[in-house]
Amino acid sequence: MSCHDDDSLDLGQTGQSKLESFLFSCELSSKVPFYTFQGDEEEELEHFLELRTVCLGEGAKEESNVVEVTAMNHQGKTISVPIANLHIKCLPMVSLGEFELKAPVTVRLKAGTGPVTVSGLHLIASQVEESDLSEDDEDEDEEEEEELPAIKPAKKKQRQ
């Protein structure tokens, strides 16, 4: 996990949230058939796993490799869903777009021997206090004002 990106989200009535994203990747195989993504235990942080691609690795055999995800649904019940059925000859990689799940999430190699690489983003959402927001907004306004060049009036051309 090495990529870092800061964004701000407006969560409407609940206030502002700061969103940080980090590169995520894990490799599944017959030796390591599952990976559980949990995030930190801090109360004020929410951790999400945004899955982007599932790809067969070098040395994959001619067999079906089924990858499933286990996470909570909207009712708080744990469910498992297959997200990819890969085969080296016809479908070595699947793009999932922005498949976002709230931690904890378990990614499992349900069938096959792999290796299968699952990649995406680890998203961390934290609440931003209003005092922090007002300081950030003021800093941004000052930077914008400094970056704008002075506007000079256009010179009129005289006709002869």
Side-chain angles (χ1 to χ4, degrees):
M1 298 182 197
S2 60
C3 184
H4 179 73
D5 185 21
D6 288 332
D7 291 321
S8 292
L9 283 182
D10 184 5
L11 297 180
Q13 295 177 350
T14 59
Q16 294 283 328
S17 179
K18 179 180 177 185
L19 184 65
E20 296 179 289
S21 61
F22 301 89
L23 190 59
F24 167 83
S25 178
C26 70
E27 185 174 280
L28 308 174
S29 66
S30 57
K31 293 179 182 177
V32 183
F34 69 94
Y35 176 82
T36 301
F37 168 82
Q38 297 204 37
D40 296 331
E41 296 295 322
E42 290 187 40
E43 292 178 20
E44 296 178 14
L45 300 177
E46 288 188 291
H47 295 267
F48 298 90
L49 183 59
E50 185 178 287
L51 300 176
R52 297 271 177 109
T53 60
V54 181
C55 181
L56 286 174
E58 187 175 337
K61 298 177 184 174
E62 285 190 36
E63 63 184 357
S64 288
N65 288 272
V66 178
V67 178
E68 88 175 359
V69 171
T70 303
M72 291 219 201
N73 68 6
H74 69 285
Q75 298 172 332
K77 295 180 182 179
T78 302
I79 61 169
S80 297
V81 178
I83 58 169
N85 186 347
L86 306 174
H87 195 282
I88 196 71
K89 283 198 170 185
C90 63
L91 189 63
M93 181 178 134
V94 171
S95 176
L96 299 172
E98 297 175 5
F99 185 50
E100 189 175 301
L101 301 163
K102 186 173 181 179
V105 177
T106 299
V107 184
R108 180 182 317 278
L109 184 59
K110 188 74 172 173
T113 57
V116 175
T117 300
V118 179
S119 62
L121 296 175
H122 172 187
L123 304 173
I124 302 172
S126 60
Q127 293 295 325
V128 178
E129 294 182 22
E130 289 183 28
S131 61
D132 293 342
L133 279 177
S134 60
E135 290 175 12
D136 289 344
D137 290 342
E138 289 173 9
D139 291 344
E140 288 176 8
D141 290 342
E142 289 174 10
E143 289 175 11
E144 289 176 14
E145 290 174 9
E146 292 173 7
E147 292 175 12
L148 295 175
I151 299 174
K152 297 178 182 178
K155 294 182 180 178
K156 292 184 179 180
K157 291 185 179 179
Q158 295 181 353
R159 292 187 181 175
Q160 295 181 6

